[in-house]
Each structure stands twice: as C-alpha cells, then as structure tokens.
C-alpha cells in the first residue's frame, strides 16, 4: 500500500509538475463576429486587436493623414459593430472590413477635393486625362545619413503615393504594401482582376517617374 | 519602342508576386532583351521601396477611444427608435396622424355645414305651459334664461328677458321680419328656424306683462316702434338687431290646451 500510495504520489507529483499547455486554435474572424452579435464584447475586442493596425495603416497610406486615418479606422470598426447582425459569412471578413475602410478613405479624399485644397507645388492632368494630380518633381539631391535617408525615402514614397489618383492608389497599396492577392483586391474594390492589374500597372508607372532618384 | 512580345513579358513580370521566380519563357526572354531586363530590375526596386513602408501602428489609446465611441453610439441609439423598427414606428405614426387629420376635418366640416332649415311654414313659436288665469293664454315669445335682454323700455325696466335666438350665420339677410323662435335643443344648443307663413304671435294690447314663466307680452301700442332682439350664437358672440313691430290685425293665437280667452281693448287700438 505504501508503494501504491508512493507511486500514486509520484504520479500525482509528476503530473502536478507538468505545465500542460492547452493549445487552442484562435477563433476565426467569423466566429468572433458571431459572438459579437450575441453581445460578447471580448470577441469584438479581439477582432479589433487583429485588424486595427492594418486598417489604420491602410487608411493612412490612402489619405496621408495619420490622425484622420485613426479616426476613420475607428469609424470602420463602429460600422462593423453596427452591421454585425447583417453580416453574411459568404465573404472573408478581411474583404469586408477593407471594403468599409476603402470607402471611408475614398470619401475622405473626395471631401478634400471639394474643399479645393490648393497645393503650392502645382497641378496638372494625368496623361490619360482621368484625374488631376499634384506635380511632385523627383528629388535629385545628394543622399546623407543612412537613417535619415531611410526616413526620407519612406516619406518620399508616401508623398508619391499620395499624389496618385484615388482609383490607382487603393490597388497599389493593397498589393504592394498590404500584400493582398489580385483576387482579394478585386473583391475589396468590387471590380475585376483585370481592372485591378491594369490599375496597379499604371500606378507603378506613375510612381516610377517620381521615384527615379531612388531606383 | 516595346514590341508586342516585350509588352506581354513585361505584363507578366509586373503581375508576378514579389520574390516569386518568373516562368521559364520570361527568364529566357530577359536574358536576350535588355529593355525587359531593365524593366524587371526597376519594377523590383520600386516594389521593394513601396513594400518597405510597412504597417503603421494604431495609437495606444485606440481601443479606449473606440469603446468610448461605441458607448456614445449605444447611448444615442437607446434614445431613438431602433433602426430595425424605425420604419415600422414611422409608418404607425404616419397612419395615426392621417387618421387624426381626417377626423378633425370631418368635425370641422360637420360644424360648418349649416343646419337644414325645416320646411314648416310660418313662425314656430314655442309656447309656455298654460297658466291659470291672467293673460298668459296668448302665446308669448319664449324666453331663454340668462340671455342678454332687449326690447321695449317697459319690458326692459321690468327685467324682461328678450327672445333668445341662436341664429346660424349663413350670410343671408333676413327678409323682413323673420323672428325666430327656439326649437328643441340640439346637441349644439338651441337651433334656429326661420319660418314664414306661419301664424303670427298675438301681442296683447295691455302694457307689458311679465308672466310667471318669464315671458313678456308686448303691447301693440307701445311707443317704440322697434323690437330689439339679441342674437346669441351660443359661442359667446351676440348682436342686437332691431325689428319693426308688426301688427297682424285681430288674429289671435291661443295655446292648444288653454281655454279661449277673449280680451278687448279700447277701440282703434290694436
């Protein structure tokens, strides 16, 4: 008996010493949204945690305004929350939330146009005559410190993207910054893959002219 | 100038995923075509530059501000009709409003439409209950209590109450003497009937007598030629009209239940 009890104790001790790692798969976006519908605030907080940086970054790249991007990102989540009951799981959640973010960003860009903010650098029509864009000549000055160079390069890229027409800006950011596939971009923008590829190609052509110094 | 083949290869180079190797035929073409080789290198650098932007992080208080925003949304949503029921609530209110308007319009129309005039000829005089003795047997003009008085001086001094009429102002001018009498009270008060051709009320020759029922008798030889009537429409407005005294000769009317009483006066005094 003593042996048994000792064995049991050993077994018990061994088991107690072990830290069992309970591995649970993270809930899918749809599951979290479903839980949000039933009033689970933690599920929605989890969803926000997953997408807040991506959405904020995407809107910032689109609008080139950080504070405005944060505000629009929050508005995106508010809309997701309000429309939770109507959400259909036929599409991926990322497609859904990026579409909301895109629409908000484009609305913001159009509001700015209506306010007629005049750039001091000038304005000229794009070659295809579709939309005007600011004239932003390439910077051919000498490069300096590496850190500053990197920061300046990123700022220059961001400025260059900000000068693109809105219909080219979104596809380029989603493809080259966010790393989305053509299929997903087409779903987000509610257009065809061929149109997405064409717009991305045009956007890169515009950027190439502005970023000559860095290429 | 790019050839058609180069354009095709460059499209394929542009559409490829970053870091993904090109197809064999593209690789072969790049080896032989300097333009496409330069294009490929340029595109690769550009995509690296753009990709190097990375992801911008949301601020630390993003969640806190979002919660506050959602709380504000919930608060405003509680005070208003929920969006799902909004259309139903608005519809109900609209239907109720329309029903009320129709009802109000019907009431207004009903109040404004003039009452039908009765086709009875002559003047309808409501006679008071017959009293024993005295000259009350002759029909008198009905009095309505608590009404503005008018009439001849003697009648006025005796506190006589004038005939009360409630005339519905239809805008028509009365033709001659159209003394009206009260009819049976209706919902809206006392109605007025203008009748012509009926037998006239007989006015005694005696001085004005105030009978126990409050009715007054007008002497025919009253020095005043006009009879003043106060017309009260029952809505607080009244006006006084003057009617000439009319003599109908010797015709007399007696109450149905009252025994016939004949009076006589001085000669040539009607």
């Amino acid at each position: 008996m003593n042996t048994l009890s000792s064995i049991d104790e050993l077994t018990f001790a061994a088991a107690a010493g072990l830290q069992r790692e309970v591995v649970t798969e993270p809930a899918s976006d749809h599951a979290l949204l479903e839980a949000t519908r039933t009033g689970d605030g933690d599920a929605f907080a989890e969803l926000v945690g997953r997408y807040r940086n991506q959405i904020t970054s995407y809107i910032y790249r689109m609008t080139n305004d950080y504070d405005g991007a944060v505000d629009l990102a929050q508005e995106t989540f508010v809309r997701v929350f309000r429309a939770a009951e109507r959400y259909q799981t036929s599409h991926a959640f990322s497609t859904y939330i990026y579409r909301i973010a895109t629409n908000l960003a484009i609305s913001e860009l159009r509001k700015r146009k209506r306010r007629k903010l005049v750039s001091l650098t000038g304005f000229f029509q794009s070659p295809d005559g579709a939309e005007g864009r600011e004239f932003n000549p390439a910077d051919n000055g000498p490069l300096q410190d590496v850190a500053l160079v990197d920061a300046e390069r990123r700022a220059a890229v961001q400025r260059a993207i900000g000068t693109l027409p809105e219909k080219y800006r979104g596809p380029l950011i989603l493809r080259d910054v966010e790393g989305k596939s053509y299929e997903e971009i087409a779903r987000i923008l509610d257009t065809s893959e061929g149109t997405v590829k064409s717009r991305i190609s045009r956007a890169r052509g515009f950027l190439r002219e502005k970023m000559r110094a860095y290429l | 100038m790019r050839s058609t083949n180069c354009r095709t290869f460059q499209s394929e180079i542009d559409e490829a995923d970053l870091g993904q190797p090109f197809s064999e035929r593209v690789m072969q073409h790049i080896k032989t075509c300097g333009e496409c080789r330069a294009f490929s290198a340029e595109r690769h650098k550009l995509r690296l530059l753009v990709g190097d932007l990375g992801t911008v992080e949301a601020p630390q208080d993003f969640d806190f501000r979002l919660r506050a925003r959602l709380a504000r949304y919930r608060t405003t949503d509680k005070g208003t009709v929920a969006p799902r029921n909004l259309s139903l609530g608005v519809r109900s209110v609209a239907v109720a409003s329309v029903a009320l308007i129709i009802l109000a319009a019907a009431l207004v129309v009903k109040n404004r439409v003039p009452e039908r005039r009765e086709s009875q000829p002559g003047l309808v005089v409501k006679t008071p209950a017959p009293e024993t003795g005295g000259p009350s047997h002759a029909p008198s003009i009905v009095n309505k209590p608590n009404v503005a008085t008018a009439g001849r001086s003697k009648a006025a001094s005796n506190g006589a109450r004038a005939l009360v009429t409630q005339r519905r102002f239809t805008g028509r001018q009365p033709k001659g003497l159209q003394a009206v009498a009260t009819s049976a009270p209706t919902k809206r008060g006392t109605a007025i009937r203008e009748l012509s051709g009926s037998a006239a009320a007989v006015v005694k020759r005696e001085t004005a007598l105030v009978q126990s029922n409050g009715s007054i008798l007008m002497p025919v030889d009253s020095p005043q030629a006009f009879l003043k009537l106060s017309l009260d429409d029952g809505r607080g407005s009244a006006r006084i009209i003057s009617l000439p005294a009319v003599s109908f000769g010797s015709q007399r009317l007696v109450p149905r239940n009252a025994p016939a009483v004949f009076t006589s006066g001085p000669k040539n005094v009607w």
Side-chain angles (χ1 to χ4, degrees), chain A residues 6 28 32 38 72 90 154-156 167 181:
Chain A
S6 66
S28 67
L32 290 175
T38 60
L72 291 177
S90 55
R154 280 193 287 273
K167 70 176 181 180
S181 66

Side-chain angles (χ1 to χ4, degrees), chain A residues 20-92:
Chain A
R20 297 182 64 188
E21 291 184 2
V22 178
V23 177
T24 55
E25 285 188 10
S28 67
D29 294 339
H30 288 159
L32 290 175
L33 197 58
E34 187 65 36
T36 303
R37 278 188 217 175
T38 60
D40 187 351
D42 291 339
F44 186 70
E46 172 69 22
L47 211 54
V48 171
R50 288 183 187 182
Y51 285 96
R52 65 169 171 240
N53 290 341
Q54 294 177 44
I55 297 299
T56 303
S57 177
Y58 171 59
I59 297 176
Y60 169 63
R61 301 298 176 204
M62 286 283 284
T63 61
N64 206 13
D65 174 15
Y66 182 73
D67 292 332
V70 171
D71 185 65
L72 291 177
Q74 292 190 344
E75 180 62 24
T76 302
F77 287 105
V78 168
R79 292 193 180 195
V80 167
F81 181 82
R82 288 169 69 174
E85 292 181 359
R86 294 195 303 269
Y87 174 73
Q88 296 176 359
T89 57
S90 55
H91 297 292

